[in-house]
Amino acid sequence: MEFVIVTGISGSGKSSAVKVLEDIGFFCIDNMPPQLIPNFAAMCNENTEITKVAIVTDIRGGAMFFKLSECIAKMHIAGINIKVLFLEASKEVLMKRYKETRRKHPLDEVSGGDISKAIDAEIELLREIREDADYIVDSSFLSSGQLKEQIADLFLEKPMDRMMVSCMSFGFKYGVPGEADLVFDVRCLPNPFYLPELKHKTGRDSEVRDYVMGFEQSCVLRDKLFDLISFLLPHYVSEGKSRLVIAFGCTGGKHRSVTFAELTAAFLREKECKVKTLHRDIEK
């Protein structure tokens, strides 16, 4: 049985994540106190019809929530295959989301109604749980569709069947993606943005790729990055990593970073790696 605990910062997209898990075949329950999870997991483990389970548990559970680590340890001892998915977002984005939805934060009373203090308190309270999580997804700059795609990519395949490599492009002006394992800055390369005929195209277009890769420094950087990634991949696999996010950043996330994300994805597919591409800021 595949058992997933979904937790994280309030307002980071846990509800959206569990909807995706439900869509891909998980039996899902929201807001279960951690103390009930081990017994529930054991019950599900005895039912051959249930092969995928996802439980959402978070700060809404109050003091009971802080028994989560203890409950996870019990489940590991019982031999239950459990993974923790932690969702987060930047403080600025969280405050904006709460302002737009006008929802009450779970720590509203503790913080005296100050949403900024409530978010800071929750981030600190969940710091240890975040450090122990198997998967971390930062939803700060993801659209609803992009968040769904990332969650689905994590759990559609059997765990550890093969490492999933996500090649991501992004713009530094919109922030560095928190879920990235490797971040490469390609702002050192010539920028197609300043050419009128290329400004409104993207790294998906052959004209932009040809321009970016028409410089010696671009080819040298590509070869060095491919050599480094080829060296690192088998070591990540041997350490049991099931997902690797390689992020390429340029200024706006439309030209150079997209070019390198696409080239890297094609290179890894030739090596028979399982690869996904995500261009976070290409439409911005």
Side-chain angles (χ1 to χ4, degrees):
M1 181 181 66
E2 188 175 0
F3 200 99
V4 177
I5 290 181
V6 181
T7 189
I9 307 299
S10 301
S12 60
K14 298 188 295 296
S15 296
S16 297
V18 80
K19 287 179 182 177
V20 177
L21 292 173
E22 189 170 29
D23 288 342
I24 62 176
F26 279 79
F27 179 76
C28 302
I29 296 181
D30 188 19
N31 201 17
M32 177 179 284
Q35 292 90 331
L36 300 180
I37 295 177
N39 289 337
F40 179 76
M43 181 177 66
C44 292
N45 210 27
E46 295 173 357
N47 189 330
T48 57
E49 295 181 357
I50 299 178
T51 59
K52 296 182 177 182
V53 178
I55 301 294
V56 181
T57 185
D58 51 37
I59 200 71
R60 289 174 294 171
M64 294 186 292
F65 175 66
F66 299 104
K67 294 288 185 179
L68 180 59
S69 297
E70 179 182 326
C71 294
I72 291 174
K74 289 181 180 178
M75 295 170 70
H76 281 307
I77 293 173
I80 296 174
N81 177 26
I82 181 171
K83 298 292 184 181
V84 177
L85 168 63
F86 189 96
L87 282 93
E88 63 183 5
S90 69
K91 181 178 178 180
E92 292 74 18
V93 169
L94 291 171
M95 291 185 67
K96 181 180 178 181
R97 289 176 182 174
Y98 270 100
K99 183 178 180 180
E100 290 174 347
T101 62
R102 299 176 182 268
R103 294 191 63 190
K104 183 179 178 181
H105 193 282
L107 298 180
D108 185 72
E109 294 183 6
V110 177
S111 63
D114 187 325
I115 186 63
S116 177
K117 290 182 179 178
I119 292 172
D120 287 339
E122 185 177 19
I123 291 173
E124 185 60 34
L125 288 170
L126 271 59
R127 190 176 304 279
E128 184 177 342
I129 293 172
R130 182 190 186 279
E131 291 175 354
D132 293 334
D134 298 281
Y135 309 106
I136 298 174
V137 173
D138 186 334
S139 67
S140 299
F141 301 102
L142 297 179
S143 66
S144 177
Q146 289 174 329
L147 177 60
K148 290 179 180 178
E149 183 179 1
Q150 285 212 24
I151 300 300
D153 287 346
L154 287 174
F155 299 105
L156 272 174
E157 297 294 330
K158 294 180 180 179
M160 304 310 298
D161 183 52
R162 183 185 289 185
M163 183 172 70
M164 166 68 75
V165 182
S166 294
C167 293
M168 174 188 291
S169 68
F170 71 94
F172 276 98
K173 65 189 294 185
Y174 302 113
V176 178
E179 69 270 36
D181 298 293
L182 300 172
V183 177
F184 297 109
D185 184 349
V186 295
R187 289 176 294 183
C188 58
L189 305 177
N191 192 353
F193 177 83
Y194 296 107
L195 297 179
E197 66 272 23
L198 299 179
K199 180 177 181 178
H200 299 294
K201 294 182 181 294
T202 74
R204 285 175 170 170
D205 296 307
S206 59
E207 302 95 321
V208 172
R209 290 198 301 271
D210 292 343
Y211 175 82
V212 173
M213 300 312 299
F215 297 89
E216 180 181 1
Q217 61 263 43
S218 300
C219 296
V220 172
L221 178 59
R222 175 200 60 197
D223 294 342
K224 288 182 179 295
L225 288 178
F226 285 1
D227 184 53
L228 175 61
I229 292 170
S230 297
F231 170 77
L232 292 174
L233 285 182
H235 294 287
Y236 282 124
V237 172
S238 65
E239 286 297 317
K241 192 170 182 62
S242 57
R243 184 170 185 257
L244 181 72
V245 180
I246 305 175
F248 299 90
C250 61
T251 304
K254 292 186 177 183
H255 299 105
R256 295 164 291 180
S257 60
V258 174
T259 295
F260 268 75
E262 290 286 345
L263 289 174
T264 303
F267 169 74
L268 293 174
R269 289 190 184 102
E270 289 180 359
K271 289 180 165 291
E272 298 185 347
C273 294
K274 188 172 182 181
V275 185
K276 291 285 186 180
T277 56
L278 171 65
H279 301 303
R280 193 191 71 180
D281 303 323
I282 197 170
E283 301 297 334
K284 291 187 173 70

